[in-house]
Amino acid sequence: MTYDVIFSAIGDPTRRSVLEALRHQPMTVGMLAKQMPVSRPAVSQHLKVLRNAELVTVTPRGTANEYALNKKGLEDIRGWLDGMWDDALEAFKSHVEQKPKSKPRRKK
Amino acid sequence: MTYDVIFSAIGDPTRRSVLEALRHQPMTVGMLAKQMPVSRPAVSQHLKVLRNAELVTVTPRGTANEYALNKKGLEDIRGWLDGMWDDALEAFKSHVEQKPKSKPRRKK
DNA sequence: CCTATTAGTAAGCCATGACTTACGATGTAA
DNA sequence: TTACATCGTAAGTCATGGCTTACTAATAGG
């Protein structure tokens, strides 16, 4: 697992739309494409990226492929976020006593 | 606030490096640039994006500009993540009884 | 079988954005 | 004031990646 793969995956708005469409129930590629502004192959390519980032899983059902959210990827994101928080809170605490700011700059 | 701005901001690996460098203590642009593989103007441009996403804050100190993490952006990310979880957990539960998968495809 | 449905891949186009160098603006200190 | 340090922005280059239109593969059903 690399954060690069995960964050570049959710960095794309179309892919986030896919994830949000899968929040309530699994869907096939065709169903997803039908409610999105891009073509089915485009959705297919996005799903490949999401699969690689372990953000979705696939289950073949006949000729259809059913995609669903994958907890793994979401947990990875949470892990990164928690790591940021822990250290950040420390940093915030040790900077409650702010040093004085310099005088404001003249506007151009 | 838009998730587009936030997620496209953290989608870039260099910008995530910046955030991680700021986890422990605030830093100036020069300090950040010194420990990164890109030029100072590049860092400056990234900081502009991070500022716009409310992921960092600036404090002028003389001619130097000190950047620090901004809780706001991190909280926004957590918000998105929590939203995904709530609905996703429901979906997971209602699919514990899996329908049978079709027979596997022949390999090409 | 033969056809229809569903989906992944290949190839190519094109916009977005990440980077560099050059420059201008601001604040500090002698 | 002059020189220096620090920074943001402008302009231009170039690679990345998201999209479309073919095309191919695989399964279900008559």
Side-chain angles (χ1 to χ4, degrees), chain A residues 69-107:
Chain A
L69 281 187
N70 185 351
K71 292 194 218 183
K72 176 62 166 54
L74 297 178
E75 281 165 355
D76 289 341
I77 298 174
R78 181 173 296 278
W80 181 86
L81 206 53
D82 288 344
M84 292 293 290
W85 269 117
D86 294 344
D87 297 322
L89 287 182
E90 291 271 339
F92 289 141
K93 258 183 287 188
S94 30
H95 276 262
V96 278
E97 17 51 75
Q98 282 289 28
K99 287 173 245 169
K101 303 170 184 175
S102 68
K103 57 187 170 189
R105 299 179 179 176
R106 283 206 329 271
K107 81 168 175 215

Side-chain angles (χ1 to χ4, degrees), chain B:
Chain B
M1 183 271 291
T2 51
Y3 286 126
D4 267 56
V5 173
I6 296 180
F7 283 109
S8 88
I10 62 173
D12 181 81
T14 302
R15 281 195 285 267
R16 279 203 311 284
S17 295
V18 169
L19 291 179
E20 281 159 16
L22 294 177
R23 282 186 0 174
H24 297 96
Q25 76 285 113
M27 299 178 73
T28 66
V29 181
M31 293 165 63
L32 284 168
K34 206 166 302 176
Q35 66 182 55
M36 309 212 31
V38 297
S39 71
R40 183 194 52 73
V43 173
S44 217
Q45 288 162 6
H46 283 306
L47 286 168
K48 182 178 187 175
V49 175
L50 291 172
R51 223 184 311 143
N52 191 252
E54 295 179 295
L55 284 162
V56 300
T57 57
V58 216
T59 307
R61 297 213 191 283
T63 95
N65 276 6
E66 191 177 76
Y67 283 82
L69 281 187
N70 186 351
K71 292 193 219 180
K72 175 63 166 52
L74 297 177
E75 280 166 357
D76 289 340
I77 299 174
R78 182 173 294 279
W80 182 85
L81 206 53
D82 288 344
M84 293 293 289
W85 271 118
D86 294 343
D87 297 321
L89 287 182
E90 290 272 339
F92 290 141
K93 256 182 290 188
S94 29
H95 276 262
V96 279
E97 18 49 80
Q98 282 288 30
K99 286 174 249 170
K101 304 171 183 176
S102 69
K103 58 186 171 191
R105 298 180 179 175
R106 281 206 330 271
K107 82 170 177 216
K108 168 175 49 172

Side-chain angles (χ1 to χ4, degrees), chain A residues 11-108:
Chain A
D12 181 81
T14 302
R15 281 194 286 267
R16 280 202 311 284
S17 295
V18 169
L19 292 180
E20 281 157 17
L22 295 178
R23 281 182 5 170
H24 298 96
Q25 77 284 119
M27 299 179 73
T28 66
V29 181
M31 291 166 65
L32 284 169
K34 206 165 300 177
Q35 66 182 55
M36 310 213 26
V38 297
S39 71
R40 184 192 52 72
V43 173
S44 217
Q45 289 160 5
H46 283 307
L47 286 168
K48 182 178 188 177
V49 175
L50 291 172
R51 226 184 309 144
N52 191 253
E54 297 179 293
L55 284 162
V56 301
T57 58
V58 216
T59 306
R61 299 214 188 282
T63 96
N65 276 7
E66 190 179 78
Y67 282 82
L69 281 187
N70 185 351
K71 292 194 218 183
K72 176 62 166 54
L74 297 178
E75 281 165 355
D76 289 341
I77 298 174
R78 181 173 296 278
W80 181 86
L81 206 53
D82 288 344
M84 292 293 290
W85 269 117
D86 294 344
D87 297 322
L89 287 182
E90 291 271 339
F92 289 141
K93 258 183 287 188
S94 30
H95 276 262
V96 278
E97 17 51 75
Q98 282 289 28
K99 287 173 245 169
K101 303 170 184 175
S102 68
K103 57 187 170 189
R105 299 179 179 176
R106 283 206 329 271
K107 81 168 175 215
K108 167 173 50 175

